[in-house]
Amino acid sequence: MSNAAQIEYWNGQAGETWVQAAAQTDRLLAPISKIAIERAGASAGECAIDIGCGCGTTSLELADAGAKVWGVDISEPMLALAKKRAGIREDLSFSVADAAVQKFTAEHQLVFSRFGVMFFDEPAAAFANIRTSLVRGGRLCFVCWQAPRDNPWMSIGGQAVAPFLPKPETPVDPRAPGPFAFADKGYLRSILQVAGFSQIKIESITPTLHVADTLDEAMEFQGRIGPVSRVLGELEGDTKAKALEAAREALAPHVKADGVNLGAACWLVTARN
Ligand SMILES: C[S@@+](CC[C@H](N)C(=O)[O-])C[C@H]1O[C@@H](n2cnc3c(N)ncnc32)[C@H](O)[C@@H]1O
């Protein structure tokens, strides 16, 4: 269980990009954060772990709710921002650690994650390890994405640029580590069952996300995070220009007086140890 590819990915350009786009990402994900943090129900005196905490936004939110929070992530650049944002707060700590193999002690009442648990090479084994951090009856609460087709905020640009990107040599495994690895609800449930969790609930939440105020801003943001960013990394010259124009044309009809607001679909998952 190495997660080596993801460790390299999140410590490379992706980690730097997420740091640069942290404020935009937080604004985009705010409606989802609100629901997930409320459902997590952290309270004063509880110990919580934020898995794949990234730049630390939800760790801060859990600490603001009263919990003592440990943010765990493999990305050094993202954790550096998390530490900077936390300042000298004593109710927050952060570690560079792979949640799949980190040695935990069973002293936490809550394990939380906002989109940080879909990147494990061996998800059932990783969740079994994560479960060892919880007291008996302790809570797991996380959000992950449903399928791309149910997430137009990302797929509209993605579908537009797809014809310009190189085709994969072998079919892409939809369950491979990545943002949509847990799109299949039955598969997600089976992972948590095998990992030993009980009282598993998987609820669909379908918020509208504010992608940007303007078309230019939407293009700039999508060029950093999501499928359109592949165009900037992998294409050049005329093909790159045509791909970006296709994404722009696809997003243009969605620009309204209040900006670019598009649908999203996630699973809100809760379970107990
Ligand atoms: C999509 S980002 C989400 C970051 C943050 N939770 C947020 O909502 O802004 C996924 C995060 O999961 C982290 N991650 C991926 N695999 C991990 C692992 N095995 N252990 C800990 N963190 C991991 C990445 O480094 C990244 O910060």
Side-chain angles (χ1 to χ4, degrees), residues 3 10 18 52-54 72-75 78 97-99 114-116 119-120:
N3 298 321
W10 290 103
W18 271 74
C53 65
V72 170
D73 203 289
I74 49 174
S75 171
M78 292 168 79
D98 179 346
R114 184 180 81 173
F115 303 118
F119 304 93
F120 304 124

Side-chain angles (χ1 to χ4, degrees), residues 17 74 112-113 135 171 188 195-196 222 251:
T17 303
I74 49 174
F112 178 88
S113 184
V135 297
L188 173 55
Q222 299 236 329
L251 285 166

Side-chain angles (χ1 to χ4, degrees), residues 1-11 74 98 119-121:
M1 186 170 19
S2 78
N3 298 321
Q6 292 294 324
I7 291 170
E8 189 182 342
Y9 177 80
W10 290 103
N11 282 288
I74 49 174
D98 179 346
F119 304 93
F120 304 124
D121 285 343

